[in-house]
Amino acid sequence: MKAGLLLLPVLLLSGCQSPGPDPEVERQLAALSARIDALETEVASLQTGPQITGTVNAGDVTARAAAQNCAVALARTLELFRQSSVGHRYPAASQVVLPDACEGQRVGWKRLEAQQYSFAVTNRDGEVLAQQSGP
């Protein structure tokens, strides 16, 4: 009987042991570890990656922004003309009035027809700074 009493606490304690590892939890932990490793690798590559060493020319940035502003304004002007015209057509070259945003800009028409247009805004060297086409 004493042996039975001694075994009882051992049996009770063995019933209190935590269950084995949950496979789902282990899978989630492994996935999180993999994501953390990937993010750490990405951060390290960004920190050691190529640095921008050249300087940006403010004049070039300004010229490109002005050209893009002109291109958007001209495309809007052409579209407004088409919407209000009989037959929903774009203007002929003689009817085009450049918007104020295009003052001092070089606009070169690639195509200007009744149902489509295409143009580029270029600098003095002929480099395309912005372009639009429609529809």
Side-chain angles (χ1 to χ4, degrees):
M1 175 109 170
K2 284 186 181 185
L5 287 176
L6 289 176
L7 287 175
L8 184 60
V10 173
L11 291 174
L12 289 174
L13 287 176
S14 67
C16 294
Q17 288 180 353
S18 62
D22 184 354
E24 178 63 22
V25 171
E26 285 183 356
R27 187 188 63 75
Q28 289 176 354
L29 286 174
L32 285 173
S33 288
R35 287 179 61 195
I36 289 170
D37 290 343
L39 288 172
E40 286 175 345
T41 301
E42 186 176 344
V43 167
S45 70
L46 289 173
Q47 289 174 339
T48 61
Q51 303 295 317
I52 298 174
T53 56
T55 58
V56 177
N57 183 338
D60 289 345
V61 172
T62 303
R64 288 189 184 282
Q68 186 62 40
N69 190 35
C70 167
V72 169
L74 181 53
R76 186 179 309 122
T77 298
L78 294 171
E79 201 54 44
L80 288 172
F81 184 97
R82 185 188 68 80
Q83 290 175 0
S84 64
S85 72
V86 176
H88 295 294
R89 60 183 310 279
Y90 292 109
S94 62
Q95 296 173 303
V96 174
V97 177
L98 293 177
D100 292 341
C102 292
E103 185 176 333
Q105 299 288 333
R106 295 173 183 256
V107 177
W109 295 100
K110 295 178 181 178
R111 173 175 282 165
L112 180 57
E113 298 173 357
Q115 298 303 316
Q116 60 185 358
Y117 67 89
S118 179
F119 64 87
V121 182
T122 60
N123 63 13
R124 290 183 179 149
D125 298 329
E127 178 186 5
V128 175
L129 302 176
Q131 53 189 355
Q132 290 280 343
S133 60

